[in-house]
Structures are given as C-alpha cells and as structure tokens.
Amino acid sequence: MSASRAANLPPRLSPLETIGGIGVGRARSKMILSLAWPVVLGMLTQTAVNLVDSAMVGHLPDRVAIPGQAALNVAIVLFWAIGGFLSSIQVGAQAIVARRYGEGEKLLAGRALANATTIAFTTAIVVSIAAYLIVPFVFGFFHKDPEVNRWGISYLQIRMIGLLSMVATQGCKGFFDGIGRTYVHMVAAIIMNVINIFGNWLLIYGNLGFPRLEVDGAAIASTISTYIGLFIILGWTFTAEIRKNYRPFRLGNFDLRVIWDIVRLSVPSGIATVAMMTGFLLFQKIVGDIDDSAGHGAIYGAATKVIIDILSVTFMSCIAVGTATATLVGQSLGRGKPRRAELFGWDSVKLGFYLFGAFGLTIALWPGLFIQIFNPNPEIIAAASPPLRLMGSCGGLIAAGLILMQAMFGAGNAKFVMWVELGLHFLVLVPLAWVFGVLLEGELLGMWMSGVVYVSLLVLVMGYTFYRGRWKTIRV
C-alpha cells in the first residue's frame, strides 16, 4: 500500500474495539434485519425452486427418485456455475447503486440499472444457446450411471432456456437491493415459487390431466416460473415513482464506461461463483466415483444432493443477510462514514453467527427429520445423517464466512474474494475431499470433513482482511 493511501485509513483499533465486543448494536441490528428479512425470504423462496424440484422428485418411486436426485445434484450445480457467473452483475450493480444512492445521486443509480439490464439480456441469450448445445457432451463426466445422465441432461437443457430470466432478474435485484427496496425481489420470488410448486404438482406427477413428465416436469415448471418472476420485477422498474426519481430507461443512460464499471466489479464475483460451483462439481465427481466403486447405485449422490439442499437454507439465508450488509456498507461508504460501514459488517457477522449457529445445531441434533423431507428412503437417511450432523455443527462459521464475503463485495473488494475462493476450492476443498474420502477411505463423511476445513479457513481469511480495513479506501 502506498504511503498516501495508508494515510487515508482511520486509526487502527484493537480487535475487541473493532468488532464492538460480543454484543450487537441495537439500532444497527434493526437496520440490518429490516433490510435482511425480505432478502432472506426472497432468496429462500427463489432457492426453493430448486429445493421443491428435489423434494418432489425424491417422492417419486425409487427407480426414478434416486437417479433423479443424483441427476439434479449435478445439473443444478452446473446450472449455477453458468448462471451464477452471469448473475454476478447483481454484485456490481448493487455496489454502484448503493454507493450512488449514499451520495444522493439517484439518476446515476438509475443509469446503473439500465446498463445492468443491457448486460444481462445480451450475455444471457448468447450463453444459454451455447450451453444448451454443450450440455450432452459434458454431463457424463460427473456421473457414470446412465439413468443419472438421461434425466440430468434433459433437465439441464430445459433449465438453460430459463438462463435469461435468472440473469435479468438478478440485474434488477441489484438495483432494488442497492436503494434499500429489498422487498421487491421478495414479492417476485414468492409468487414465482408458488407457481413452481403448482407447476411441479401438475407436471411431475401428471395431475389434472397433464402428462406425467417426472424429472422433466420439474425443469419445465421451474423455467416457466422464473420468467414470471422476471416479468414481475422488471415491471416494478416501470412504476411511476421509479421512473420519476431514477429515470432508468432514458436513451442517454446507455454508457460504455458504466457497463465497464459494472463488469469490472462483477467479474471477480462471477469467477468466485464458478470456482465454488466447479469445486462442488469436482466434489460430486468424487462422490460419483465412490458410488460406482461401491456398486450400490447413486445412493451417495442422492444423499449429497439432500445434504446440499438442507444446507442451502443456511447458505442462502447467510448470503441474504450479507446482501443487506453489502447495501449498508456501500451506502455508508458513499456517505463518507467508513467506521459505520465497519460496524454494520461486524454486527451482521455476529447476528449471523448466533442465529444460524442455533439453526445448525438443530440440524445436527435431528438430521433425520430434515432428510426425510427430501427423500424418505432409509438408505439415503443413513448415508446423509453423519455428514449433515458434521456440517450443521458448523452453522455459525458458515454464516460468518458468507456474510463477510458479501460485505467485501459491497465495499467493492471483489477481486480479493475471487482469489480466496479460487484458492480454497482448488487447494483445500477438492484435494482434501479426495484425501479424506478416497485415500483414507472415509467415504461420504470423510469427504464432508474437507468442508469443515474450508469453512474454517474462509472465516479466518475474510475476518482478518475485513479487520485490517483496507477496503475502506476502495473507490467505486
């Protein structure tokens, strides 16, 4: 760091002074929670599109349920690897909008929305076509079971048609989260999920005279529901209040410099998402190889899908709290209040640690109650219970790591998060999964031990970097 830049940093406080002790500030906590609860509900209901697919497929006959869930395990991660990279425009859009909103520049915040949606539509159309064509050639690498491949390829190709709706929705979400209207995405996500559940009931099981499409029915219902969610949130951008105060869709708003700023802030987040999903895919590859060696079908693959489904409630809730934190951090920096931004970050971490730590312990104590929601098969329950107990006990650490990541995004420090994710997934998570699961013959439980190491290192690295405070001088 240069001497001039270092001079801009506020005086270093002790660690205890920095985090404000073990308690949380009442006023700040109210602001965090008031912004966070709509994001939590919105992201959980959006995630529920995938969870409902998995749960309803899991209640089909075993001949479809077990390979079907194993197929969804790979397909949804692949979908998120591609869609998550493009959807990272939400990170760049939110960081810019929150900073401009904090500066009182509403028209510039609206300009960011216009350019974010331009990026979303142009990139998603091209990538969805390419991905649809490539899926049959790459899916088989992650699982050798022919039934898993048959269901997974078909499901994923249908979901790729919905890539545009996913990416464009996230672009709009970044704008509304940045100005503090977190409830907008929540409303769209709830409506979207209700439609998805009803569509699954019709198309997976063939009710009310509809064809029984099983796994394909889940994909069709999910794709339709995501487009309905897009129409709702996009329609919100045309309301009178938004058009008057932010004027997002003026022709003069199209600006290559703003597009570059959004891309510059978003791409590191996208790469971090790809790294995360690639790590999970390689994790799934090892699971599939163990299944193949054991000769018991896709039991571990289906069990892993159930574990990820249950943990995703924690993952997405923590990211949602982190999204609210990113808004408050960005707005505070825009108002020239870095210390306030820091306190919002630490209070969010403590809230997440306490709340999701308690939820994780509940999962660890009664894993079977949660597993049977997604698959009542006794073999799946037996395979999934020990790893779920292990990861549930780490709920507080998971929350702290994910919230700190989102806070760093809000401050514009996306490149750092990218490098951390690349390092931890490819140097820690995947290699240790192979060592613990295959080399030391720990199988599924051994593989998930690598997740504990990954989460612990994530918290240490993110916590120390946030404490150092260099992110306070980043310009957005």
Side-chain angles (χ1 to χ4, degrees):
M1 178 188 292
S2 67
S4 61
R5 190 177 178 189
N8 292 327
L9 289 174
R12 177 68 57 83
L13 302 175
S14 70
L16 191 60
E17 289 174 319
T18 299
I19 66 174
I22 62 173
V24 293
R26 181 173 298 179
R28 288 189 300 273
S29 297
K30 287 182 178 179
M31 292 182 68
I32 293 166
L33 293 175
S34 66
L35 277 180
W37 77 263
V39 187
V40 170
L41 190 55
M43 293 188 76
L44 284 180
T45 49
Q46 185 180 34
T47 304
V49 170
N50 296 326
L51 298 184
V52 166
D53 285 1
S54 178
M56 297 182 83
V57 167
H59 284 80
L60 288 166
D62 283 350
R63 63 176 178 79
V64 178
I66 293 176
Q69 282 192 319
L72 292 180
N73 195 24
V74 176
I76 290 173
V77 176
L78 275 170
F79 180 70
W80 271 99
I82 298 170
F85 176 79
L86 298 179
S87 294
S88 66
I89 62 166
Q90 182 258 335
V91 172
Q94 181 181 353
I96 291 173
V97 169
R99 193 70 68 94
R100 300 297 169 261
Y101 184 85
E103 295 167 351
E105 298 285 357
K106 291 186 177 181
L107 293 181
L108 295 183
R111 186 176 68 177
L113 169 62
N115 287 278
T117 53
T118 299
I119 298 169
F121 277 91
T122 53
T123 57
I125 290 172
V126 174
V127 174
S128 62
I129 295 172
Y132 182 92
L133 297 174
I134 293 171
V135 163
F137 301 99
V138 300
F139 195 94
F141 173 77
F142 299 101
H143 212 292
K144 297 177 182 178
D145 189 300
E147 282 297 292
V148 172
N149 279 271
R150 180 171 75 89
W151 288 117
I153 291 171
S154 179
Y155 176 90
L156 185 54
Q157 284 187 310
I158 296 169
R159 289 300 304 270
M160 284 302 176
I161 298 172
L163 197 61
L164 172 61
S165 59
M166 173 187 181
V167 178
T169 297
Q170 290 301 307
C172 295
K173 179 180 182 294
F175 168 75
F176 285 110
D177 287 352
I179 64 173
R181 309 283 182 87
T182 53
Y183 60 84
V184 173
H185 179 256
M186 176 194 72
V187 172
I190 290 174
I191 295 172
M192 179 177 69
N193 198 57
V194 170
I195 292 169
N196 181 59
I197 293 172
F198 184 64
N200 276 349
W201 183 73
L202 294 177
L203 296 175
I204 292 176
Y205 305 122
N207 288 311
L208 299 182
F210 281 79
R212 182 185 175 93
L213 301 177
E214 297 181 328
V215 180
D216 286 352
I220 294 170
S222 295
T223 300
I224 292 172
S225 68
T226 58
Y227 273 101
I228 292 172
L230 170 62
F231 293 145
I232 293 170
I233 198 168
L234 194 60
W236 222 300
T237 66
F238 288 95
T239 58
E241 190 268 337
I242 297 296
R243 286 188 291 110
K244 177 183 177 182
N245 293 325
Y246 297 91
R247 302 177 66 187
F249 298 115
R250 294 179 298 163
L251 291 177
N253 271 344
F254 180 77
D255 190 318
L256 289 175
R257 184 175 58 83
V258 177
I259 287 177
W260 167 245
D261 285 340
I262 294 173
V263 170
R264 174 177 59 85
L265 291 170
S266 300
V267 166
S269 170
I271 294 174
T273 300
V274 171
M276 185 183 300
M277 294 300 109
T278 303
F280 281 137
L281 284 170
L282 293 174
F283 191 94
Q284 308 298 351
K285 168 66 175 171
I286 299 171
V287 171
D289 289 345
I290 294 176
D291 268 338
D292 189 58
S293 299
H296 56 202
I299 293 295
Y300 283 169
T304 298
K305 178 67 177 80
V306 171
I307 294 168
I308 292 175
D309 285 343
I310 295 170
L311 291 178
S312 68
V313 175
T314 297
F315 294 160
M316 299 310 293
S317 297
C318 294
I319 291 173
V321 173
T323 299
T325 307
T327 294
L328 293 168
V329 167
Q331 290 182 358
S332 297
L333 292 174
R335 294 181 179 121
K337 298 181 178 180
R339 176 57 179 161
R340 184 173 173 81
E342 186 175 25
L343 290 173
F344 272 127
W346 289 123
D347 279 348
S348 293
V349 168
K350 288 180 280 188
L351 283 171
F353 184 86
Y354 300 146
L355 293 175
F356 298 111
F359 178 67
L361 288 177
T362 304
I363 293 174
L365 290 172
W366 297 285
L369 293 177
F370 295 89
I371 296 169
Q372 65 185 355
I373 295 172
F374 295 91
N375 196 314
N377 186 298
E379 289 183 282
I380 303 297
I381 295 174
S385 290
L388 190 57
R389 281 196 175 97
L390 178 69
M391 296 308 297
S393 65
C394 298
L397 289 178
I398 293 171
L402 292 176
I403 290 170
L404 283 167
M405 280 178 58
Q406 296 302 311
M408 298 296 274
F409 283 141
N413 201 10
K415 284 186 179 179
F416 172 76
V417 178
M418 175 191 74
W419 288 115
V420 171
E421 283 291 87
L422 285 169
L424 289 181
H425 275 86
F426 298 119
L427 299 179
V428 177
L429 181 66
V430 175
L432 289 183
W434 183 84
V435 170
F436 293 155
V438 179
L439 186 64
L440 299 180
E441 299 182 350
E443 296 192 323
L444 197 61
L445 178 60
M447 290 186 64
W448 280 96
M449 287 179 181
S450 67
V452 176
V453 179
Y454 161 81
V455 168
S456 300
L457 290 175
L458 179 67
V459 173
L460 287 174
V461 174
M462 289 294 168
Y464 177 70
T465 304
F466 195 78
Y467 163 71
R468 290 183 71 189
R470 294 185 179 182
W471 50 270
K472 298 173 188 176
T473 63
I474 295 174
R475 294 185 179 275
V476 173

